């Protein structure tokens, strides 16, 4: 299983892309950086975007991708998958006919370029070749993690979050879990802002990882605010844990 890191940053400046992970060729986790990183041929191959939450750094390039797919004449609709509050926010505030067209009825309602699929929190659903479960986490807006079971091992992508509980319990219940992707947005000195904005610092991450029984599991860290990335990297390195890996844009993680 290849996971291509199209973007893994929590802020956008030149050289830093916001969150998007491409799982194999046809599934995206979040859409912060897709049209700026994938060729037209690669964009046409994407069938599903699993959206963790509606914040702009996680959704912004789906707008341009859907527009591209219409002109590239993709044969099947692109499916945006998430929980109801996230889909509602996308429909109401982005694909609303004002900010951007409602592509779920274009070119016509029978064969649209875009469709939505709503997941119930905690309910497992087969989507494409994976079994997917959305689990709520603790951010400033409704946000989920995705548990993705592939048949050759499972992965968890934790959306933006502060300290949280349920996803760690779920992680402890999965026997073939291979990797967890989790944010570390801010340095320890900004603990108060992390608490205010629903994010983690390295010290907060450490407390979260105490909730995980498997102490050898690979943990991939992302969503750093770039201005503090050197400081965060030093603080993560000081934990002296081989299982922690800081992601980079353009990297491919093999699981
Ligand atoms: Zn974010
Ligand atoms: Zn967010």
């Amino acid at each position: 299983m290849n996971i291509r890191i199209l973007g893994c940053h929590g802020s956008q400046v030149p050289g830093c892309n916001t969150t998007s992970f491409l799982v194999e060729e046809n599934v995206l986790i979040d859409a912060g950086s897709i049209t700026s990183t994938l060729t037209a041929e690669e964009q046409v191959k994407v069938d599903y975007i699993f959206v963790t939450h509606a914040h702009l750094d996680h959704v912004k390039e789906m707008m341009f991708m859907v527009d591209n797919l219409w002109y590239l004449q993709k044969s099947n609709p692109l499916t945006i998958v998430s929980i109801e509050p996230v889909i509602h926010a996308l429909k109401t505030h982005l694909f609303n006919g004002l900010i951007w067209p409602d592509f779920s009825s274009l070119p016509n309602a029978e064969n649209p370029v875009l469709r939505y699929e709503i997941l119930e929190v905690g309910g497992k659903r087969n989507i494409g070749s994976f079994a997917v479960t959305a689990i709520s986490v603790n951010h400033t807006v409704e946000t989920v993690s995705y548990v993705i079971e592939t048949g050759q091992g499972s992965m968890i992508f934790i959306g933006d979050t502060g300290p949280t509980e349920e996803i760690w319990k779920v992680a402890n219940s999965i026997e073939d879990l291979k990797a967890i992707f989790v944010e570390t947005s801010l340095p320890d000195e900004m603990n108060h802002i992390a608490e205010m904005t629903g994010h983690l610092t390295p010290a907060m991450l450490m407390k979260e990882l105490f909730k995980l029984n498997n102490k050898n599991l690979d943990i991939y860290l992302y969503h750093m605010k770039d201005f503090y990335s050197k400081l965060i990297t030093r603080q993560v390195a000081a934990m002296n844990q081989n299982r922690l890996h800081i992601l980079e844009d353009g990297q491919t993680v093999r699981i």
Side-chain angles (χ1 to χ4, degrees), residues 128-194:
S129 54
F130 303 139
V132 180
T133 311
I135 304 290
S136 293
V137 290
N138 188 17
H139 194 37
T140 52
V141 294
E142 297 246 25
T143 302
V144 290
S145 300
Y146 289 107
V147 180
I148 299 187
E149 298 169 59
T150 70
Q152 307 150 25
S154 301
M155 305 168 281
I156 296 180
F157 295 89
I158 302 182
D160 288 8
T161 192
T164 188
E165 299 299 328
E166 182 66 19
I167 191 63
W168 302 114
K169 291 180 191 159
V170 170
N172 288 335
S173 72
I174 302 173
E175 283 186 6
D176 69 348
L177 187 60
K178 304 285 190 208
I180 295 178
F181 294 73
V182 61
E183 71 139 271
T184 316
S185 295
L186 292 163
D188 291 337
E189 290 78 358
M190 302 186 78
N191 185 59
H192 61 295
I193 295 183

Side-chain angles (χ1 to χ4, degrees), residues 26-27 43-49 65-70 72-81 103-117 127-128:
N26 73 327
V27 172
Q43 290 176 38
V44 170
K45 290 179 184 168
V46 174
D47 295 317
Y48 301 97
I49 305 178
M65 174 137 153
V66 176
D67 187 52
N68 290 350
L69 294 180
W70 185 1
L72 291 167
Q73 300 187 326
K74 181 174 169 64
S75 56
N76 56 311
L78 172 72
T79 303
I80 294 180
V81 183
F103 282 98
S104 66
S105 60
L106 291 172
N108 56 66
E110 288 71 40
N111 294 296
V113 72
L114 168 69
R115 59 181 286 273
Y116 300 99
E117 187 152 343
I127 296 178

Side-chain angles (χ1 to χ4, degrees), residues 53 57-58 160 199 223:
H53 64 303
D57 56 318
H58 299 257
D160 288 8
H199 288 303
H223 205 273

